[in-house]
Amino acid sequence: MYNRIIAFIDRNGILSEAQHGFRSHRSTQTALQDFINNAGAAIDTKLYPIGLFLDLTKAYDVFDHQLLLEKLHSYGVRGLANSWFKSYLTNRQQCVEVTN
């Protein structure tokens, strides 16, 4: 499913070029390189670059699944693919490890 969704997103230009996470040939290193290049360009034109860095750890645990499904639908992920995501996201429970 990942490969199908990524191909769909790339084909339809859904993600911004500024998006580095979860994309082929992009990483925190390429994000940092872009930031450094943009900061340098700002300094060269006598502007003051500012960086805002957020840690979105556990973001998956708190987002609204229904909103995600609606967004996917609005971007064209419909029918069986959207139903698959709905099935995956419905009634999710935290995994608890049982030890003896």
Side-chain angles (χ1 to χ4, degrees):
M1 184 55 79
Y2 172 82
N3 291 336
R4 290 179 66 188
I5 290 295
I6 290 299
F8 179 84
I9 287 170
D10 289 344
R11 186 173 54 250
N12 292 289
I14 292 172
L15 294 179
S16 161
E17 287 301 312
Q19 171 72 33
H20 288 264
F22 307 103
R23 297 189 72 188
S24 295
H25 311 294
R26 295 187 188 203
S27 64
T28 53
Q29 290 177 338
T30 59
L32 182 58
Q33 183 72 39
D34 277 359
F35 175 76
I36 291 169
N37 290 340
N38 291 332
I43 291 168
D44 290 345
T45 58
K46 309 237 186 281
L47 297 174
Y48 298 97
I50 296 174
L52 177 63
F53 304 91
L54 303 172
D55 180 0
L56 300 177
T57 302
K58 302 276 184 183
Y60 178 80
D61 296 338
V62 297
F63 74 85
D64 183 335
H65 294 166
Q66 185 59 40
L67 180 60
L68 173 62
L69 294 169
E70 290 170 12
K71 281 289 194 185
L72 287 170
H73 186 271
S74 74
Y75 287 127
V77 178
R78 298 186 177 106
L80 188 59
N82 197 284
S83 294
W84 185 87
F85 280 108
K86 183 176 182 178
S87 173
Y88 178 78
L89 294 171
T90 301
N91 298 322
R92 299 291 296 169
Q93 296 180 0
Q94 185 176 4
C95 180
V96 178
E97 184 177 324
V98 177
T99 59
N100 293 333

